[in-house]
Amino acid sequence: MKWEEVRNLFPNQFVLVTILDSHIEGEKKIVDEVAPIRPIANEDANKEFFNVSPGNIVYHTSNEKFIIHIRKDPLMRVRWGS
C-alpha cells in the first residue's frame, strides 16, 4: 500500500507499519510501500516506537512523505575529564 493511501485511511494519527519497499537517496531512506498493521494512540506512540519488531516502524500520517534519515555513525564515544 502506498503511504498516501495509509494517510487517507488513518488521518492524523500514529500507525504501526511494516516497510515492504524503499529506496535510498543520499542519506535518506524513502519508503515507497508499506503494510499497515494498526493505528497507535498518541499516548502509546513513544512506548510502541521503542518496542517495535525488526522491519516495523511507528510513523505519523501528518507526514506527507515517509522518509527515514540514515545516521552513518549513530554511536559516538566521548571521553569526559582528563
Side-chain angles (χ1 to χ4, degrees), residues 75-82:
L75 301 176
M76 182 170 54
R77 300 181 94 188
V78 178
R79 183 173 179 208
W80 296 96
S82 48

Side-chain angles (χ1 to χ4, degrees), residues 17-22 29 31 33-35 55-57 66 68:
V17 299
T18 299
I19 298 173
L20 300 176
D21 189 33
S22 64
K29 180 177 184 175
V31 177
E33 194 94 20
V34 297
N56 294 343
I57 192 166
F66 199 137
I68 301 169

Side-chain angles (χ1 to χ4, degrees), residues 4 21 23 29-30 32 36 39 43 48-49 55 74 77:
E4 184 177 320
D21 189 33
H23 66 279
K29 180 177 184 175
I30 311 297
D32 301 311
E43 58 271 10
E48 291 285 339
F49 181 82
R77 300 181 94 188

Side-chain angles (χ1 to χ4, degrees), residues 4-73:
E4 184 177 320
E5 295 172 281
V6 175
R7 293 182 71 220
N8 289 331
L9 284 174
F10 304 101
N12 201 35
Q13 59 188 301
F14 288 98
V15 181
L16 175 63
V17 299
T18 299
I19 298 173
L20 300 176
D21 189 33
S22 64
H23 66 279
I24 304 294
E25 290 182 11
E27 294 185 11
K28 297 177 184 177
K29 180 177 184 175
I30 311 297
V31 177
D32 301 311
E33 194 94 20
V34 297
I37 298 171
R38 62 184 164 87
I40 304 291
N42 286 344
E43 58 271 10
D44 298 330
N46 197 40
K47 180 180 79 170
E48 291 285 339
F49 181 82
F50 288 104
N51 291 316
V52 294
S53 302
N56 294 343
I57 192 166
V58 174
Y59 209 72
H60 200 278
T61 58
S62 65
N63 295 297
E64 277 188 45
K65 297 184 180 193
F66 199 137
I67 299 173
I68 301 169
H69 295 272
I70 301 168
R71 300 178 87 183
K72 297 289 182 188
D73 295 316

